[in-house]
Amino acid sequence: MWELAMRLRSAGKHEEALKQFEKITVENPQDAEAQYYAATNEVLGREKEAVPYYEKAIALGYDEVDAYIGLGSTYRVLHRYEDARKILEQGYEQFPDNFALPPLLAMTYYNLQEHEKATTLLLQCYVKASLDNDVQAFSRAINYYATHLND
């Protein structure tokens, strides 16, 4: 059943894949990876239905950055900004070198009216991710002013 579900997912047949993943979660409720893949119903615009699968996957120990990104961005879409903040901050703490997390967290800060925090995070991520020589030449200054925006 697992192989079929993955083939369907790879083929873009999300509805059929979701049915298979949901069957797997019923048969194996402690399978964290199956819970994660069952959360892919967010791709079908079913964000509310995805949340419990994401939450259970993480609670069961599915410790992949995609789970934090998926759950955090799903919370954000559902306007659950404090929940999004919590899970995205946890993800960022665990995966500080992942460059997909900071923009999502910054958008969440923006939604929470924490504009300075959002800007700081984006500037720091920009410097860290940039390979540009000009950016790196000014990295100390940019990082300093990222935390002193009003100076």
Side-chain angles (χ1 to χ4, degrees):
M1 192 175 331
W2 187 262
E3 289 178 22
L4 173 60
M6 293 303 281
R7 278 197 316 270
L8 290 167
R9 185 174 188 268
S10 294
K13 297 181 179 181
H14 298 290
E15 189 75 45
E16 294 91 340
L18 176 58
K19 289 177 185 174
Q20 294 301 312
F21 287 123
E22 287 175 338
K23 285 180 190 176
I24 294 169
T25 63
V26 169
E27 292 176 10
N28 302 295
Q30 300 304 308
D31 185 333
E33 188 173 19
Q35 296 291 334
Y36 168 75
Y37 281 109
T40 60
N41 54 19
E42 75 172 85
V43 173
L44 300 168
R46 299 180 191 160
E47 286 85 1
K48 286 182 184 178
E49 291 86 355
V51 169
Y53 288 113
Y54 276 130
E55 290 174 339
K56 190 165 184 180
I58 291 170
L60 289 171
Y62 190 77
D63 197 29
E64 299 291 331
V65 69
D66 292 352
Y68 292 90
I69 289 171
L71 180 55
S73 62
T74 299
Y75 280 150
R76 192 176 161 277
V77 166
L78 296 171
H79 305 278
R80 293 176 58 180
Y81 301 126
E82 285 297 337
D83 292 329
R85 173 212 299 262
K86 180 181 174 187
I87 201 70
L88 290 168
E89 285 178 343
Q90 286 175 2
Y92 189 52
E93 187 175 302
Q94 284 188 252
F95 305 97
D97 295 326
N98 183 287
F99 295 119
L101 276 163
L104 294 167
L105 183 53
M107 287 185 276
T108 301
Y109 289 151
Y110 175 85
N111 294 130
L112 292 167
Q113 305 302 312
E114 295 183 28
H115 304 119
E116 194 169 318
K117 201 169 191 177
T119 302
T120 296
L121 183 60
L122 287 175
L123 286 169
Q124 290 171 335
C125 181
Y126 175 72
V127 169
K128 190 175 179 182
S130 179
L131 299 176
D132 183 84
N133 290 334
D134 295 328
V135 171
Q136 290 307 311
F138 288 94
S139 64
R140 284 186 54 216
I142 295 169
N143 279 321
Y144 174 81
Y145 286 113
T147 59
H148 298 87
L149 290 169
N150 297 310
D151 292 354

